[in-house]
Amino acid sequence: MSASDDSRRVHFQSPEYLVDRLDAIADLFDTDRTDLLVEAIREYIEETADSDTFQELVATKYYDGQLDFETAKELVGTETAQRHDRSEERRVGKE
């Protein structure tokens, strides 16, 4: 298991009806609540990271100096972050 796959315990509160529904779904799939939550979070993050709106927000924050390269890379992936980095280098070079 790589360091990025290490588990971290988190605690949050949720409306009871959501937990009840989650538990019912977990029972149907013969799995547990944690597995469903992790999968739902993973899917949400992937969908969000792939959206043009999110990528534009990351680029804007990066260009404004509100995000460093490593954070941008973590949010949108190495290839997209490198594209933004090269764009920033060209933009700064023109000033």
Side-chain angles (χ1 to χ4, degrees):
M1 180 181 289
S2 72
S4 64
D5 290 336
D6 289 346
S7 294
R8 180 187 295 181
R9 180 176 296 273
V10 296
H11 175 83
F12 64 94
Q13 294 185 1
S14 172
E16 189 173 342
Y17 78 93
L18 288 177
V19 176
D20 292 343
R21 290 182 73 190
L22 184 64
D23 288 342
I25 293 168
D27 286 343
L28 285 172
F29 285 104
D30 195 31
T31 189
D32 62 38
R33 181 188 303 158
T34 298
D35 289 343
L36 290 179
L37 285 170
V38 168
E39 183 60 27
I41 292 167
R42 182 180 296 118
E43 287 178 12
Y44 175 81
I45 290 171
E46 287 174 6
E47 288 175 15
T48 300
D50 287 343
S51 79
D52 290 339
T53 302
F54 183 77
Q55 291 187 17
E56 289 170 12
L57 178 61
V58 170
T60 299
K61 299 278 187 182
Y62 176 70
Y63 297 147
D64 289 347
Q66 296 174 359
L67 284 178
D68 62 21
F69 178 74
E70 289 302 314
T71 303
K73 187 169 78 171
E74 187 174 314
L75 292 170
V76 296
T78 302
E79 184 177 318
T80 301
Q82 286 174 337
R83 263 197 324 271
H84 293 317
D85 195 42
R86 287 191 296 272
S87 295
E88 174 68 357
E89 288 172 358
R90 286 192 298 273
R91 186 182 71 78
V92 170
K94 290 180 181 178
E95 292 178 354

